[in-house]
Structure formats: C-alpha cells, structure tokens
Amino acid sequence: MLMLDFHPTGRHFLQIPGPSPVPDRILRAMSLPTIDHRGPEFAVLGLKVLADMRKIFQTSQPVIIYPASGTGAWEAALVNTLSAGDPVLMYETGHFAALWQKLAARLGLKTEVIGTPGAQAWRHGVQASLIEERLKLDTQHSIKAVCVVHNETSTGVTSNIAAVRRAMDAARHPALLLVDTISGLASADYRHDEWGVDVSISGSQKGLMLPPGISFNVPSAKAIEASKKATLPKAFWAWDEIIEMNKAGYWPSTPNTNLLYALSESCDMLLEHGLQAVFARHQRWGEGVRAAVKAWGLQIQCADASLYSPVLTGVMTPEGVDADAVRKIIYQRFDCSLGTGLGKVKGRMFRIGHLGDCNDLTLMAALSGCEMGLKLSGVKLAGSGVLAAMDHFSSHAAVVPERRAA
Ligand SMILES: *Cc1c(COP(=O)(O)O)cnc(C)c1O
C-alpha cells in the first residue's frame, strides 16, 4: 500500500485545521456499497442529508451540495449571484480571505479589499464599522456583494457575522452578504437565517469531520432572485437545476454517494450530541490549548480575546525561530501534523487544530508533541503548557459528559 506502510504504530495525530480527523463511525459509513444515484434508495439518503444540513446551517433555505472542495463553493457563490465587472467589497482577515479575493478577480469581478491595516492586519476579525463606512460612501449602490470569512483558518480568528449584517443594514445598502464558513460550520455557532446571510459557503473536511470532497452553498431568497439576473457564466455550479432536482432527493449530475453516507453519519453525530454542546466542546478545547500556549509564554496569533477561534489556535514562534522547522521536528519525532503558517505569516507561526474527532487526551498528546518539539528547537519556554492544559481540562468538566460512570 503505497507510502502508508511508512506509518509507525498507533494513530497519526492529524492536528491540522482541516482536513480534520475522521471518526471511525464515519469511515465505516463510507465503506457501504455505492448505490444507484437514480434509484429509489438514493432519494432517501439525498432528502435526509439535505434536511439535516438545514439544521446544521440553522436555516430553512435550500442547501446545495457540490462534489467539490471548498474552493468550488466559493466560485459557485460568486458566479450564481454576480455579473462580470460587478464591484465586490472583500474583507481581508487572512490568507483564506486573500485567496477568495484572488479567485473573485480571476472571475472578472472588480474586487475592493479592506481590512485592519499594518502589523495587526491578520490578528483581528472583521471590523464591521469599516464595512458600514465604505457602504455609506457608495450612494449609487454599485457594490453588489460584501464577502467575509467567518472563521479565518489561517489565523484562528473568528468574525462577528451578525455585526456585519447590522452594519450593512445601518448603511441601508442592498449588497448581498456572502460568508465563507468553510472551517467554522459545525464547530463554531453559525446561523444562516438569523444573521441574514445571503450565501453561506462551507466544506466537508473541517467541522463536519468528513474527508475532503464535498462543499456547500446556502442561498437566501434574495440571493436566489439575484441568481436569475446574474450573468457570470454558470453551468455546473448553477443553483436552479440542482435545487429543482433536490426536491425529489436527486442531483442533475452524479453526486458523491459515499461522501453523502459520511455526511449523513456526521449529521447524526452532531445532531445527537446537540449543536450547542458541539460548540461548547470546541470552545473548551480551544481554552485548554490557549492555556498551554500562555504557559509556554508564546503569543497567540489572534489578538482579540473575544474572537478566539474554537476551531484552531495560531501559535507565534519567537523572533528568529522558524515555525516550520519546529513543525518538522514534531512531525518526524512524534508523528503529529500541525498546520503551517500561510501566506505572509509563513515561518512565523504554526496552527493547532481542535476541530473534528478530538478529545481531551488526543489534544494532550498533541500539546505534548508541541512542547517537546519547541524544546528540541531550542525555544525557551516560560513554563509547561502540558501541565497548564491538564489543569484546565481536569478543572473544567465537559458540558455533556462523554461517558457515564458504570
Ligand atoms: C479550507 C478553507 C478553504 C478552502 O477550501 P478547500 O476545501 O481547500 O478548497 C477556504 N476558506 C476557509 C476559511 C478554509 O478553511
């Protein structure tokens, strides 16, 4: 079996912020035989996952599922709602926001980027007041969409989407609100309807705990109206045919059958646990990991404590220490993969994922790997992050106990 033979004993610690560790229950569900995607059984699966995903997005709108990675769903959101040359306002919170801007520009949209200036740029969330100010200046309403990232996976900073909607309403501006929650969904609270989002975008391999390969759009009624007039070329990504066929549980082209088994299992797991309990569990893991980083005496990439991501934590390495060299030691010595710094923070920080199929002890193992790797890299630590995280986890019980006493 290819390179997989090189895996040492035990489980690899996949602590990157996506793809996240996939629970055995989901891997088993995926191993069911592939069925006829035009047959009667399939519609049961199709209708179930579409209904379940509405609960996950907290919406009554249609959910569109693509056999594509998150990048495809980014493109789908833009080509369905916009026309060539349309001005769009994009907020740069980090590397993923920057990639989305690049994609929008390649599609022929006129992108305008705003964000927190200077050295603090990739350490904060969306400042809704900047969006409000910019939209107020656009008295002709030429800006057609505002694009923001809910959980910026490159930095570990979340953004307040409800505040962005309030800012747009305060400016009395009709632009559509497009939100990337590719890594936020199913780990951080996300409310498509309540927050007045026009297109939500997500993917399978982050909070949903699936392998990569499917992604999502959720359009508001206003976005569906816009899609009827938008003229960017769209065929495969077009919502109309998909929404129509989804009514009976089918898709116009071949859906990713085995990933839909996985999605069904993932939704069962998330909804059985309860979304609020899922959000609380990732919050708590994030707190434990941050306790470790603080004990080490290192800086967290997110500079705003109210916006710490429940999905991942960005750890800044001290001046002169290459974060990728630290990651490499941790990988080679302890079989643990951590997220690299992306874009302009490459080499300056690494990322610890606390999404997907984790528990207190898998996170303790990952933090041990980090602590050993930092020491082996010659980083002077203020104290033991492992001890701090153990203290945190043992003194803060999980909201929903995972296991009852016998
Ligand atoms: C992972 C991710 C993407 C990219 O999705 P792909 O599945 O890699 O195409 C986009 N935005 C955010 C916030 C992400 O975390």
Side-chain angles (χ1 to χ4, degrees):
M1 268 177 76
L2 287 172
M3 302 241 313
L4 301 179
D5 285 344
F6 294 124
H7 273 211
T9 54
R11 288 260 172 138
H12 174 67
F13 284 85
L14 183 67
Q15 295 298 147
I16 60 174
S20 59
V22 179
D24 294 356
R25 200 174 141 180
I26 290 181
L27 290 173
R28 278 195 298 272
M30 286 180 65
S31 72
L32 290 171
T34 303
I35 54 172
D36 175 8
H37 64 292
R38 307 280 179 216
E41 277 173 284
F42 189 87
V44 178
L45 172 66
L47 290 172
K48 177 186 183 290
V49 293
L50 291 166
D52 285 349
M53 283 310 293
R54 264 179 232 129
K55 294 181 192 155
I56 304 287
F57 276 103
Q58 304 192 52
T59 186
S60 55
Q61 286 296 114
V63 173
I64 290 146
I65 305 178
Y66 295 109
S69 85
T71 304
W74 264 347
E75 177 158 337
L78 298 170
V79 297
N80 272 283
T81 53
L82 299 164
S83 303
D86 275 352
V88 293
L89 186 62
M90 308 188 83
Y91 201 105
E92 188 179 307
T93 39
H95 188 65
F96 285 100
L99 288 177
W100 195 12
Q101 182 275 330
K102 235 172 78 183
L103 182 144
R106 289 187 71 157
L107 289 173
L109 295 166
K110 218 167 103 204
T111 63
E112 178 179 339
V113 180
I114 57 171
T116 308
Q120 289 292 308
W122 284 17
R123 301 194 64 190
H124 293 267
V126 170
Q127 224 178 305
S129 59
L130 295 183
I131 292 177
E132 182 175 339
E133 282 163 27
R134 179 63 190 90
L135 292 182
K136 276 182 173 159
L137 293 177
D138 181 35
T139 51
Q140 301 299 310
H141 295 170
S142 64
I143 295 172
K144 296 301 178 224
V146 172
C147 300
V148 295
V149 175
H150 171 224
N151 182 75
E152 182 46 83
T153 324
S154 64
T155 60
V157 184
T158 57
S159 282
N160 184 339
I161 303 304
V164 174
R165 167 47 70 195
R166 282 196 298 274
M168 293 172 69
D169 290 347
R172 297 178 183 280
H173 197 288
L176 296 168
L177 172 57
L178 273 47
V179 180
D180 166 345
T181 185
I182 292 177
S183 64
L185 191 77
S187 293
D189 197 1
Y190 188 80
R191 306 174 186 206
H192 176 87
D193 286 1
E194 188 183 319
W195 293 347
V197 178
D198 289 303
V199 188
S200 292
I201 299 149
S202 197
S204 58
Q205 76 273 29
K206 315 269 168 95
L208 289 170
M209 310 179 285
L210 309 187
I214 51 179
S215 55
F216 308 88
N217 273 182
V218 186
S220 66
K222 183 174 160 185
I224 291 175
E225 274 316 300
S227 74
K228 294 174 184 162
K229 301 192 192 86
T231 61
L232 276 176
K234 55 177 178 287
F236 177 74
W237 303 115
W239 292 334
D240 53 358
E241 287 180 1
I242 300 173
I243 291 175
E244 196 46 42
M245 285 203 68
N246 277 177
K247 288 178 185 162
Y250 297 99
W251 273 262
S253 59
T254 312
N256 210 327
T257 309
N258 289 55
L259 276 174
L260 296 184
Y261 292 149
L263 181 61
S264 168
E265 199 69 14
S266 159
C267 289
D268 286 349
M269 292 175 76
L270 292 163
L271 297 170
E272 279 163 18
H273 205 66
L275 285 183
Q276 294 310 317
V278 169
F279 304 148
R281 110 191 147 191
H282 292 283
Q283 281 290 353
R284 180 174 164 278
W285 287 334
E287 285 159 12
V289 169
R290 292 194 299 272
V293 180
K294 284 173 187 163
W296 289 329
L298 299 178
Q299 292 286 312
I300 292 169
Q301 181 73 23
C302 178
D304 182 342
S306 67
L307 298 176
Y308 284 140
S309 171
V311 173
L312 75 143
T313 299
V315 182
M316 298 167 77
T317 48
E319 208 56 58
V321 176
D322 177 5
D324 282 337
V326 177
R327 281 178 54 248
K328 190 172 171 188
I329 288 179
I330 296 167
Y331 173 73
Q332 289 179 331
R333 291 284 298 268
F334 308 114
D335 199 24
C336 175
S337 293
L338 298 163
T340 184
L342 292 166
K344 64 178 167 192
V345 290
K346 181 145 188 69
R348 300 292 304 114
M349 57 93 88
F350 63 87
R351 298 169 298 147
I352 305 173
H354 27 87
L355 71 170
D357 195 36
C358 299
N359 60 36
D360 291 6
L361 296 186
T362 57
L363 284 172
M364 285 313 311
L367 292 170
S368 306
C370 291
E371 187 159 318
M372 291 187 283
L374 285 162
K375 282 185 184 163
L376 286 167
S377 307
V379 177
K380 277 215 97 48
L381 299 177
S384 171
V386 169
L387 289 179
M390 286 204 296
D391 275 348
H392 188 88
F393 289 138
S394 53
S395 61
H396 296 76
V399 180
V400 174
E402 298 291 332
R403 199 183 282 276
R404 272 180 224 191

